[in-house]
Amino acid sequence: TYGYRKAGAVGVKKGQLLDVEITDMAFGGRGLTRVNGLAVFVDQAAPLDQARIRIIRKRKNYAEALLVELLRPSPYRVHAPCPYSGTCGGCKWQFLAYEKQLEYKRRHVAEALDHIGQMGDIPVHETIASPNVFHYRNKMEFTFSERRWLMPGELGKPAVDVDFALGLHVPGTFYKVLDTRACLLQPDPGNTLLGQVREFARSSKEPVYGLKSHTGFWRFLMLRHSVADDRWMVNIVTASDKRHHLQPLVDSLTADRPDIAAVVNNITSRRAGIAQGEYEIHLGGEPFLTDRIGNFEFEISANSFFQTNTSGAERLYETVKGYAGLTGGERVLDLYSGTGTIAICLSPAASEVTGIEIVESSVADAVKNCRRNRIDNCRFLLGDILDVMPRVSDGPDVLIIDPPRSGMHKKVVQQVLDMGAPRVVYVSCNPATLARDLGLMKERYSVREVQPVDMFPHTYHIEAVARLEKK
């Protein structure tokens, strides 16, 4: 029922089948080819794939396509060990050799600086690899669903059990949930825990929360792992407080698993699909985990922020420290300071570090982490940067900026320019907003170099650290 044309034919239409060669990897993780000059993005395709594709969406300046058949696979392709690869949204690049992942991540940073920031002459170094490419995540969130999304090989088969799922989402959806039996991004003991919670919830009398009906009990399972201690936190997110229903599971976990450090229950009646409770109940063990980055120990509660790749975070912070160029006498200002991890890691080499953070619980965690590490030259100011930054009377020698994916507000950029710190270190998890913000600063600051750091193997996400000097 679909038209079929060779790629050289005129026009591109929805439903059309085309034989193409994938020529590049676009930001966002999709393969790129061009048909009569029109960019066509192909999911799960690698550069140098000879592929048959089907156009599924046509826009004025681009089209999107599905990979129908590999006619000749790219030499950059590798076997994806996860059975959910290509269906799950957890990691989309398992089929791509890791060294090519690092290469494309570097290119995406450089291209963003060139095309968005109009700064094509900045040195962008080779990407620093993650120490581990599997089992690296210290935090995983799994969703309960009353309907299981089928894998491609299950379609059309009779008597398929579909009335329960605990797992990860199909990309771009909130209601399509796979029943994930094991995820290769977390350490193996986490998959055993995932199975134990699955069996308990499935055999319980409480229903799974409906992602469309918004009724039911079981909502999310969050697992956190301490790399330093090799211990786990189990956080069960439910729609109501029925701790007596959870107690048998808690008793089983804490009796059978000495590696369980904490079991908590977050409770939320909100409809939003966020694995964070309106309040929390401590059910067993300690109420928190501890982990280490370098020489520093951090207390991690169920909902506190902590870099999800612990060993990768060490390499990231080593880069930040190197770019800061601290000699022991500098005043450092840390914007978007979170739970204080960067501030604490820089504190031994600085005279004083001041952090600004808008989330109250993060500031409380930062203060506790300073106390835990016996650090007395850090202080943290609570509030919006726009309001708090003018109250910092002494200009810093070094400014650290680690914003969310959306980057800095334009007014914050202006405040940064007005403050005029001699050195700036910008840490970004989004090349596009990094390039935009550096472009706004380039009249007053020279961007000396950028170092990509891979914290998320098998995804297209990339951290990057930029070193700026005032002109």
Side-chain angles (χ1 to χ4, degrees):
T1 59
Y2 291 98
Y4 175 80
R5 297 182 184 181
K6 290 288 184 180
V10 176
V12 173
K13 296 180 180 179
K14 182 178 178 181
Q16 188 176 356
L17 285 171
L18 298 169
D19 287 357
V20 299
E21 178 177 300
I22 306 300
T23 56
D24 206 345
M25 185 68 78
F27 181 71
R30 295 184 293 180
L32 172 66
T33 187
R34 292 189 180 274
V35 179
N36 299 323
L38 182 72
V40 181
F41 300 101
V42 188
D43 204 23
Q44 294 294 300
L48 301 187
D49 275 340
Q50 301 285 335
R52 181 162 295 164
I53 63 172
R54 174 173 288 138
I55 304 296
I56 59 169
R57 192 169 290 111
K58 173 68 165 57
R59 296 290 185 261
K60 182 178 180 181
N61 297 320
Y62 70 93
E64 298 177 9
L66 291 178
L67 179 64
V68 175
E69 181 183 356
L70 268 179
L71 305 176
R72 190 175 70 193
S74 165
Y76 306 145
R77 277 189 172 269
V78 296
H79 169 69
C82 177
Y84 307 104
S85 178
T87 304
C88 170
C91 47
K92 301 181 73 171
W93 271 6
Q94 276 194 34
F95 67 90
L96 187 63
Y98 186 57
E99 61 271 16
K100 298 305 291 187
Q101 295 183 29
L102 298 177
E103 179 184 322
Y104 285 117
K105 290 183 183 193
R106 180 204 166 278
R107 281 182 51 190
H108 291 160
V109 173
E111 288 169 358
L113 292 170
D114 186 11
H115 298 152
I116 299 173
Q118 301 297 304
M119 297 177 290
D121 56 347
I122 296 172
V124 179
H125 303 301
E126 298 298 318
T127 305
I128 295 176
S130 172
N132 303 303
V133 297
F134 286 106
H135 312 300
Y136 64 84
R137 286 192 64 100
N138 59 37
K139 175 187 174 185
M140 291 292 300
E141 294 177 7
F142 301 97
T143 302
F144 285 97
S145 175
E146 83 284 19
R147 296 290 292 175
R148 177 171 73 88
W149 192 254
L150 299 181
M151 294 289 290
E154 297 177 305
L155 297 175
K157 292 185 177 180
V160 174
D161 185 8
V162 297
D163 62 352
F164 180 93
L166 174 58
L168 301 173
H169 290 256
V170 174
T173 68
F174 75 93
Y175 63 93
K176 298 177 182 178
V177 179
L178 298 166
D179 192 37
T180 310
R181 297 297 171 136
C183 177
L184 300 184
L185 296 188
Q186 69 174 347
D188 285 336
N191 294 318
T192 304
L193 277 171
L194 175 63
Q196 288 177 278
V197 175
R198 171 187 287 104
E199 293 309 311
F200 182 89
R202 188 159 196 174
S203 62
S204 76
K205 296 180 181 179
E206 295 298 325
V208 168
Y209 186 84
L211 300 179
K212 291 184 176 180
S213 68
H214 300 289
T215 60
F217 178 71
W218 301 97
R219 296 200 65 175
F220 303 97
L221 170 66
M222 180 195 294
L223 300 177
R224 302 195 80 143
H225 178 239
S226 165
V227 174
D229 300 334
D230 196 19
R231 304 192 75 197
W232 292 82
M233 170 185 281
V234 180
N235 176 18
I236 304 162
V237 184
T238 60
S240 57
D241 179 359
K242 296 182 180 179
R243 68 191 78 178
H244 57 284
H245 287 298
L246 299 178
Q247 201 58 51
L249 173 62
V250 176
D251 294 341
S252 172
L253 291 176
T254 53
D256 299 340
R257 298 282 301 262
D259 59 339
I260 303 297
V263 184
V264 299
N265 177 204
N266 269 251
I267 296 154
T268 178
S269 60
R270 298 190 182 107
R271 291 191 169 194
I274 302 173
Q276 183 170 336
E278 296 167 90
Y279 62 99
E280 180 175 306
I281 300 170
H282 173 223
L283 298 177
E286 299 291 331
F288 55 82
L289 281 177
T290 59
D291 207 348
R292 302 188 71 85
I293 296 178
N295 296 322
F296 302 103
E297 187 174 74
F298 296 92
E299 185 176 302
I300 307 165
S301 57
N303 297 312
S304 64
F305 173 79
F306 193 72
Q307 290 284 357
T308 54
N309 184 338
T310 307
S311 55
E314 289 196 24
R315 297 187 174 185
L316 179 71
Y317 294 165
E318 286 169 3
T319 303
V320 173
K321 186 175 181 179
Y323 279 7
L326 302 177
T327 61
E330 291 87 359
R331 297 183 307 274
V332 178
L333 180 60
D334 181 12
L335 305 185
Y336 312 93
S337 56
T339 55
T341 49
I342 290 180
I344 288 171
C345 289
L346 294 182
S347 62
S351 171
E352 62 179 34
V353 184
T354 300
I356 301 178
E357 172 58 48
I358 196 171
V359 179
E360 186 174 0
S361 61
S362 293
V363 172
D365 284 342
V367 171
K368 284 191 294 184
N369 287 327
C370 282
R371 193 178 302 124
R372 175 177 285 272
N373 290 282
R374 300 180 181 178
I375 291 170
D376 58 7
N377 65 337
C378 290
R379 63 172 179 149
F380 297 93
L381 305 178
L382 174 64
D384 191 303
I385 289 173
L386 289 171
D387 301 325
V388 177
M389 202 164 161
R391 298 187 346 229
V392 180
S393 55
D394 295 330
D397 302 299
V398 179
L399 182 62
I400 309 295
I401 306 172
D402 186 9
R405 287 190 61 81
S406 56
M408 289 191 287
H409 190 283
K410 281 189 176 181
K411 292 182 179 179
V412 174
V413 174
Q414 189 58 51
Q415 285 184 328
V416 167
L417 295 175
D418 292 342
M419 180 165 276
R423 293 197 299 279
V424 175
V425 180
Y426 189 124
V427 186
S428 172
C429 61
N430 185 343
T433 53
L434 169 70
R436 180 200 67 196
D437 290 351
L438 295 187
L440 294 173
M441 299 171 66
K442 66 183 179 182
E443 295 302 320
R444 298 196 197 175
Y445 282 89
S446 298
V447 183
R448 296 299 188 185
E449 56 187 323
V450 176
Q451 177 63 70
V453 182
D454 189 21
M455 303 277 284
F456 313 103
H458 308 304
T459 79
Y460 60 85
H461 298 292
I462 182 66
E463 296 269 344
V465 186
R467 179 171 69 88
L468 289 74
E469 292 182 358
K470 188 179 179 183
K471 292 183 177 179

